[in-house]
């Protein structure tokens, strides 16, 4: 019906090399959208991924990716792969099952904690499921890289990881099984490793920009992976599990877990007063004690009991402060810290909760740095219904360590410039670490340097949560009707809604358009179901496909199609040829941003 005027078409491969995809007919595709909001989903990305038929849960934290979900994830993978290759990294693929002995070499078999799934095979060999691959890649390096001439090198993979997360939740955001891109760099020196690190830092900025995400790179804690220096890439979203501290006056941005508290000392020195025991009947909580004694929470020190890898440790912080568990974990060098319950506190200390204090306490005790500069403060009396007054550090009690152990607040000064701080929520989508020689030393991975000497590889590691990005993109891009995919992440960029499946003219026009858009290099889903228009439009909105083309009555009337942009709702009426040309130009422009 329409002449195939395709002289203006840009060669297929220039638009999207991965687009040689098979036919995508709605009627024949597994695309089970749901009308109802699934009850188990707490955040919007989880709800929409289920409703739009992207994922289905198998068991806690473990999902199947249905065809459209996989298509979206492939988009992320392709961007990641392109930018990693462009940065000079080489792709490989390592096994998911790893021998325990290799993890023993680095001491992580014991240290990693319950997130590492351990099992025995039929020959009784201990193994684990890879939550990350530093050991395996270091083993490859020590066997295959012998000389400085092999360096620098950066090796990466895109692979399924398993971590037995304590609280898997929010769908793809925190799964137990998830897809990660992990890269590892090997260098001759610290300086060279710094160059590799910066290359990845820059590649990550490109990746997240190309994914259409609004993000920020922040200073981060190095956690169980270890290392000396790291940055996290955070997608800014209310549902993020991480809190980011940002300075309003300088460039400082850090994960709350890592943000260093600058100690501000009280400049009015008081003479130490005499220690007094005071009765506080039934007053266990900070607020109740303060009300009863007419004092401020900042005049009191809380004694919190944690289980550090199962063993009790008391932590002292000012009454109005919160313990930062990551800082505590790092200080104690343990895999896991958890607040003890009332029964455990009593078993460990012999004191009922609410009355515990540091004077003559029976368990290991550490203190936040602020406690060491407080004067004449209040603490629990280590006896039911009693507190102590005029307590002073060192005179009345000692601790095993004094350190920065509390959470930063917006009333603290910026640790870099002293300016005002603000907080925002974020989803961690990437993490870059300078590892140094920790792994190469413990696994004896060396190369021969220019001077003929054997040296340890200086390493870096770099992760991206590929499946998490799909969820993060939806958290940032949606409305009440469904997903609004940024073009580069959209599983299809165009959906054709055929409103005349039983009308020969409309049907032929829709099918011709389908072919022409595909020939133009676009990824197209055609809704060829014999359903009501409203029903089809609802699904198109839910799926979040950036452009919807409706072939219906207006085509019969005046030969035009309706093109609707999912993001801003704008509508254009164009002929089929104009439609192909316009969509091709617009989508190509979006993809090359
Ligand atoms: P988190 O603090 O969120 O647990 P992590 O610090 O343990 O993350 P890394 O070890 O740095 O994460 O892993 C690299 C990337 O893998 C993270 O930046 C994140 O995007 C992703 N990731 C980590 N854990 C999960 C998970 N349980 N589900 C989905 N993605 C994850
Ligand atoms: Mg983790």
């Amino acid at each position: 019906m329409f002449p195939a005027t395709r002289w203006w078409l840009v060669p297929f491969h220039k638009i999207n090399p991965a687009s040689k995809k098979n036919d995508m007919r709605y009627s024949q595709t597994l695309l089970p959208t749901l009308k109802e909001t699934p009850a188990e989903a707490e955040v919007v990305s989880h709800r929409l991924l289920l409703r739009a038929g992207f994922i289905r849960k198998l068991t806690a934290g473990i999902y199947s990716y249905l065809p459209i979900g996989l298509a979206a994830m492939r988009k992320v993978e392709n961007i990641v792969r392109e930018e990693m290759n462009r940065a000079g990294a080489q792709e490989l693929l390592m096994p998911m099952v790893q021998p325990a002995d290799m993890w023993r070499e680095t001491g992580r078999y014991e240290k990693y904690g319950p997130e590492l799934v351990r099992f025995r095979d039929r020959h009784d060999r201990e193994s684990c499921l890879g939550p990350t691959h530093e050991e395996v890649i270091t083993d490859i390096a020590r066997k295959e890289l012998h000389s400085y001439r092999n360096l620098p090198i950066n090796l990466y993979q895109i692979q399924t990881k398993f971590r037995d997360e304590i609280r898997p939740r929010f769908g793809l955001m925190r799964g137990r099984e998830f897809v990660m891109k992990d890269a590892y760099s090997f260098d001759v020196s610290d300086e060279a490793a710094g160059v590799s690190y910066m290359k990845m830092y820059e590649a990550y900025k490109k990746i997240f920009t190309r994914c259409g995400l609004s993000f920020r790179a922040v200073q981060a804690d190095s956690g169980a992976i270890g290392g000396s220096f790291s940055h996290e890439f955070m997608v800014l979203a209310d549902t993020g599990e991480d809190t980011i501290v940002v300075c309003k006056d300088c460039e400082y941005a850090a994960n709350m877990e890592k943000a260093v508290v600058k100690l501000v000392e009280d400049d009015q020195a008081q003479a130490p007063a005499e220690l007094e025991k005071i009765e506080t009947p039934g007053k266990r909580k900070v607020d109740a004690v303060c009300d009863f004694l007419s004092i401020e929470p900042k005049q009191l020190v809380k004694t919190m009991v944690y289980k550090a890898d199962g063993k009790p440790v008391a932590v002292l912080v000012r009454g109005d402060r919160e313990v930062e568990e990551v800082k505590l974990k790092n200080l104690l060098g343990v895999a896991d810290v958890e607040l003890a319950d009332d029964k455990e506190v009593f078993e460990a200390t012999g004191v009922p909760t609410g009355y515990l204090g540091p004077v003559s306490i029976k368990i290991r005790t550490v203190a936040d740095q602020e406690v060491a500069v407080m004067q004449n403060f209040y603490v629990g009396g280590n006896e039911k219904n009693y507190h102590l007054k005029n307590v002073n550090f060192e005179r009345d009690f000692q601790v095993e360590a004094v350190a920065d152990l509390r959470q930063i607040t917006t009333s603290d000064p910026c640790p870099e410039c002293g300016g005002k701080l603000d907080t925002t929520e974020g989803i961690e989508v990437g993490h870059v670490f300078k590892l140094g020689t920790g792994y190469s030393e413990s696994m004896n991975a060396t190369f021969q340097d220019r001077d003929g000497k054997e040296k340890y590889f200086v390493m870096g590691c770099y992760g991206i949560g590929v499946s998490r990005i799909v969820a993060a993109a939806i958290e940032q891009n949606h409305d009440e009707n469904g997903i609004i995919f940024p073009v580069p992440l959209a599983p299809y960029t165009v959906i054709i809604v055929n409103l005349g499946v039983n009308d020969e003219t409309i049907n032929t026009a829709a099918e011709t358009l389908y072919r022409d858009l595909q020939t133009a290099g676009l990824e197209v889903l055609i809704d060829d179901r014999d359903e009501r228009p409203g029903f089809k439009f609802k699904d198109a909105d839910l799926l979040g496909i950036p452009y919807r083309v409706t072939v219906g009555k207006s085509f019969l009337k005046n030969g035009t199609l309706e093109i609707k942009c999912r993001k801003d709702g704008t509508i254009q009426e164009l002929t089929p040829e104009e439609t192909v040309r316009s969509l091709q130009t617009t989508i190509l422009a979006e993809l090359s941003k």
Side-chain angles (χ1 to χ4, degrees):
M1 182 160 188
F2 293 99
T5 46
R6 299 196 187 110
W7 54 268
W8 38 265
L9 293 184
V10 173
F12 192 83
H13 68 275
K14 286 213 171 145
I15 295 175
N16 196 336
S19 68
K20 282 187 187 167
K21 205 184 270 176
N22 36 17
D23 244 12
M24 273 305 163
R25 289 174 186 282
Y26 208 133
S27 62
Q28 286 151 42
T29 304
L30 176 62
L31 230 175
T33 56
L34 306 173
K35 296 286 160 283
E36 303 299 323
T37 300
E40 85 245 37
E42 295 163 77
V43 297
V44 71
S45 61
H46 189 189
R47 281 198 290 275
L48 290 174
L49 283 166
L50 288 169
R51 280 194 55 209
F54 280 56
I55 57 169
R56 286 294 179 263
K57 178 169 161 179
L58 182 62
T59 181
I62 301 183
Y63 292 86
S64 298
Y65 300 87
L66 300 189
I68 195 164
L70 183 62
M73 194 154 70
R74 291 274 186 259
K75 286 300 169 75
V76 178
E77 281 183 25
N78 287 341
I79 292 174
V80 169
R81 191 172 273 123
E82 273 176 33
E83 293 303 330
M84 289 301 292
N85 293 347
R86 207 186 302 256
Q90 298 168 44
E91 187 169 2
L92 48 49
L93 186 58
M94 291 180 270
M96 190 172 180
V97 172
Q98 308 182 10
D101 282 345
M102 200 164 276
W103 281 67
R104 289 209 171 90
E105 286 188 53
T106 59
R108 286 211 298 182
Y109 200 63
E110 295 73 27
K111 199 177 158 200
Y112 209 90
E115 262 185 36
L116 183 69
V117 167
R118 300 146 221 252
F119 62 95
R120 286 171 189 274
D121 65 16
R122 64 164 75 194
H123 303 295
D124 212 27
R125 283 182 296 232
E126 286 177 274
S127 307
C128 58
L129 290 183
T132 172
H133 280 66
E134 283 78 11
E135 280 79 0
V136 181
I137 199 82
T138 308
D139 183 56
I140 292 175
R142 72 179 165 188
K143 288 178 179 150
E144 313 302 335
L145 303 172
H146 303 295
S147 156
Y148 69 92
R149 287 192 202 89
N150 303 131
L151 308 177
I153 193 165
N154 185 326
L155 300 163
Y156 78 97
Q157 62 175 346
I158 297 177
Q159 189 227 28
T160 299
K161 296 282 184 276
F162 196 92
R163 294 183 181 180
D164 203 357
E165 295 276 355
I166 185 167
R167 272 180 292 277
R169 57 183 188 161
F170 300 162
L172 297 188
M173 205 92 93
R174 182 165 299 281
R176 291 197 297 154
E177 194 178 296
F178 60 97
V179 177
M180 196 204 281
K181 185 285 300 177
D182 45 329
Y184 307 88
S185 63
F186 295 85
D187 276 284
V188 295
S189 65
D190 246 358
E191 198 190 351
V195 175
S196 297
Y197 183 90
M198 280 321 291
K199 251 193 200 160
M200 283 296 103
Y201 186 93
E202 291 304 322
Y204 274 37
K205 284 209 292 202
K206 282 202 199 117
I207 289 169
F208 301 124
T209 305
R210 277 189 63 189
C211 287
L213 298 167
S214 150
F215 67 95
R216 179 137 193 192
V218 307
Q219 292 179 17
D221 176 66
S222 303
I225 290 182
S228 48
F229 190 70
S230 83
H231 283 94
E232 282 166 353
F233 287 79
M234 295 284 188
V235 162
L236 308 176
D238 295 343
T239 45
E241 292 181 286
D242 286 275
T243 304
I244 307 162
V245 183
V246 287
C247 179
K248 291 180 180 169
D249 303 312
C250 76
E251 288 296 294
Y252 181 77
N255 191 316
M256 177 90 127
E257 299 170 351
K258 155 91 183 178
V260 180
V261 175
K262 213 171 175 178
L263 183 63
V264 183
E265 290 198 37
D266 191 348
D267 48 14
Q268 289 171 356
Q270 299 172 21
E274 199 179 325
L275 187 69
E276 269 180 57
K277 182 170 164 181
I278 46 174
E279 210 176 342
T280 47
K283 309 297 175 210
R284 301 173 48 190
K285 297 252 186 288
V286 171
D287 287 350
V289 176
C290 289
D291 277 354
F292 182 71
L293 298 173
S294 300
I295 57 169
E296 302 272 322
K298 65 177 185 196
Q299 292 172 265
L300 184 141
V301 165
K302 295 192 277 199
T303 306
M304 318 281 294
V305 178
Y306 279 87
K307 291 179 290 174
D309 283 352
K311 300 198 185 88
V313 180
V315 185
L316 308 177
V317 283
R318 206 171 87 176
D320 56 342
R321 306 299 196 195
E322 299 304 328
V323 174
E324 175 49 68
E325 295 184 1
V326 171
K327 291 181 182 175
L328 179 63
K329 225 161 75 169
N330 290 344
L331 175 75
L332 301 173
V334 295
D336 194 42
V337 295
E338 199 185 334
L339 208 53
D341 63 24
D342 289 0
K343 188 166 158 267
E344 289 161 338
V345 172
F346 189 74
E347 274 167 14
T349 63
V351 179
T353 325
Y355 301 103
L356 191 64
V359 181
S360 313
I361 192 169
K362 291 200 187 111
I363 54 173
R364 282 176 82 183
T365 306
V366 294
D368 176 54
Q369 54 182 359
E370 200 171 28
V371 171
V373 299
M374 286 170 68
Q375 311 171 66
N376 296 330
F377 50 88
Y378 291 77
V379 300
N382 283 337
E383 187 180 334
K384 191 171 176 190
N385 297 336
Y386 285 96
H387 277 73
L388 297 178
K389 181 180 171 181
N390 296 330
V391 179
N392 285 280
F393 174 61
E394 280 188 328
R395 185 193 70 176
D396 301 317
F397 66 94
Q398 281 84 41
V399 295
E400 189 181 298
V402 175
D404 170 16
L405 289 177
R406 74 162 168 93
Q407 271 176 9
I408 202 162
T409 68
T410 48
S411 45
D412 282 302
C414 165
E416 266 171 25
C417 77
K420 275 211 82 50
L421 294 176
D422 208 352
T423 58
T424 140
E425 310 305 312
I427 302 166
E428 180 195 324
V429 287
H431 203 164
V432 290
F433 295 87
K434 259 190 192 168
L435 287 176
T437 52
Y439 287 92
S440 47
E441 282 185 40
S442 56
M443 293 185 67
N444 198 26
T446 61
F447 66 96
Q448 196 173 58
D449 206 355
R450 215 175 271 275
D451 55 11
K453 289 197 181 120
E454 285 297 314
K455 290 188 185 155
Y456 293 115
F457 295 106
V458 184
M459 293 172 55
C461 78
Y462 316 93
I464 288 185
V466 172
S467 44
R468 187 182 277 184
I469 286 181
V470 177
I474 297 173
E475 289 293 330
Q476 267 188 354
N477 303 283
H478 65 268
D479 64 12
E480 63 285 2
N481 299 321
I483 305 171
I484 306 174
F485 269 115
V487 169
L489 298 193
Y492 304 96
T493 46
V494 184
I495 180 167
I496 299 173
V497 181
N498 177 350
L499 291 186
V501 185
N502 302 313
D503 178 303
E504 208 190 317
T505 314
I506 291 180
N507 220 2
T508 310
E511 292 295 330
T512 308
L513 179 73
Y514 181 46
R515 266 204 326 275
D516 286 350
L517 285 171
Q518 282 185 327
T519 310
L522 302 181
E523 290 167 303
V524 194
L525 173 67
I526 182 164
D527 189 350
D528 56 347
R529 297 173 299 173
D530 192 5
E531 293 284 356
R532 285 174 295 108
F535 186 88
K536 293 173 110 169
F537 290 149
K538 271 211 167 69
D539 275 342
D541 279 352
L542 179 60
L543 297 176
I545 297 173
Y547 296 96
R548 182 185 88 192
V549 184
T550 308
V551 190
K553 288 214 175 79
S554 72
F555 182 73
L556 294 180
K557 239 195 277 163
N558 55 17
T560 61
L561 312 173
E562 181 199 88
I563 296 104
K564 186 173 178 199
C565 171
R566 175 71 180 89
K567 191 168 173 189
D568 58 22
T570 52
I571 290 179
Q572 278 180 292
E573 304 224 327
L574 301 174
T575 66
E577 285 147 54
E578 288 165 345
T579 301
V580 178
R581 198 173 331 189
S582 154
L583 285 177
Q584 192 190 39
T585 314
T586 317
I587 290 168
L588 181 61
E590 292 268 354
L591 288 175
S592 53
K593 258 186 195 164

